[in-house]
Amino acid sequence: MSGARAAATLRAFAAAAATRRGSTLTHVDATGDVHMVDVSDKQPTLRTARARGRVLMNQETFDLIRQDGIKKGNVLAVAQIAGIQGAKSCSQLIPLCHPIAITKVSVDLALASSSSSSSSSSSSSSDGALTHAVEIESLVRCKGETGVEMEALAAVSAAALTVFDMCKAVSKSMVIDSIRVVEKSGGKSGHWKE
């Protein structure tokens, strides 16, 4: 599908959706053109978002990470840096996301048993049950007109993808799971926690 045809299809879909809802969508104008929401009238506030996720894996992969035995290097250190870069690159990955002047990003990774996970029991393969995990948590903060939930999610996603990439030679059965926002504060909607 050509770029012009894809844009026309998207405009028609967005206009039809706006008509069905009886209201204007925030990212679509009256003609159905997609745009970035104008936040210039909003007052800057301190905004924080926290996100979590995990990479489920088998015992062998878990042990190699713990022993720093993955041939590509220190999985947790590289994934931490990737997570920070993911938060900083969010507006380049998500088309209508604002570029934000982030004031803090932290990404923490920890090894944990996930034997009680419903995903682990249904996601087993010939190289073992997925009973262990790398748990990932990000915290992103800014002082601005729009929130940083997407940046927090991008941080966890990039870290999880990096864990997968660094360990895929050992096991391709890993599962990236449960990526979600667990807390946000600031802005008009105030504080929310999972």
Side-chain angles (χ1 to χ4, degrees):
M1 183 181 291
S2 72
R5 188 170 162 211
T9 302
L10 181 58
R11 276 195 304 279
F13 174 78
T19 301
R20 280 193 309 274
R21 287 185 177 86
S23 64
T24 305
L25 301 173
T26 60
H27 288 76
V28 180
D29 67 18
T31 65
D33 284 326
V34 177
H35 62 92
M36 186 183 291
V37 172
D38 185 355
V39 295
S40 55
D41 290 337
K42 289 186 173 184
Q43 290 299 315
T45 63
L46 181 62
R47 296 168 183 265
T48 302
R50 189 180 306 272
R52 288 189 187 131
R54 62 188 178 179
V55 182
L56 297 168
M57 61 192 61
N58 64 24
Q59 182 76 51
E60 177 191 12
T61 309
F62 182 83
D63 289 343
L64 284 169
I65 293 171
R66 186 177 55 202
Q67 298 159 7
D68 200 14
I70 297 292
K71 290 182 181 179
K72 286 188 175 184
N74 186 309
V75 173
L76 302 182
V78 176
Q80 184 177 42
I81 293 167
I84 293 167
Q85 284 186 274
K88 292 165 51 178
S89 303
C90 188
S91 67
Q92 296 171 3
L93 299 171
I94 301 170
L96 302 179
C97 195
H98 291 85
I100 294 177
I102 295 171
T103 58
K104 177 179 178 57
V105 180
S106 65
V107 179
D108 297 309
L109 296 97
L111 296 170
S113 173
S114 296
S115 57
S116 63
S117 167
S118 60
S119 294
S120 65
S121 62
S122 63
S123 302
S124 60
S125 68
S126 61
D127 59 349
L130 306 182
T131 57
H132 293 78
V134 173
E135 300 279 351
I136 306 164
E137 180 172 300
S138 69
L139 173 72
V140 181
R141 185 172 292 140
C142 79
K143 187 169 185 181
E145 295 82 8
T146 190
V148 286
E149 294 93 339
M150 297 311 298
E151 287 72 14
L153 289 167
V156 171
S157 299
L161 288 168
T162 300
V163 170
F164 192 101
D165 177 58
M166 293 188 75
C167 300
K168 68 180 187 259
V170 178
S171 172
K172 292 172 182 49
S173 68
M174 293 172 288
V175 173
I176 296 172
D177 187 43
S178 301
I179 296 176
R180 70 214 185 271
V181 173
V182 295
E183 186 174 11
K184 61 83 55 188
S185 64
K188 187 172 150 182
S189 63
H191 184 257
W192 173 87
K193 192 169 184 177
E194 181 181 63

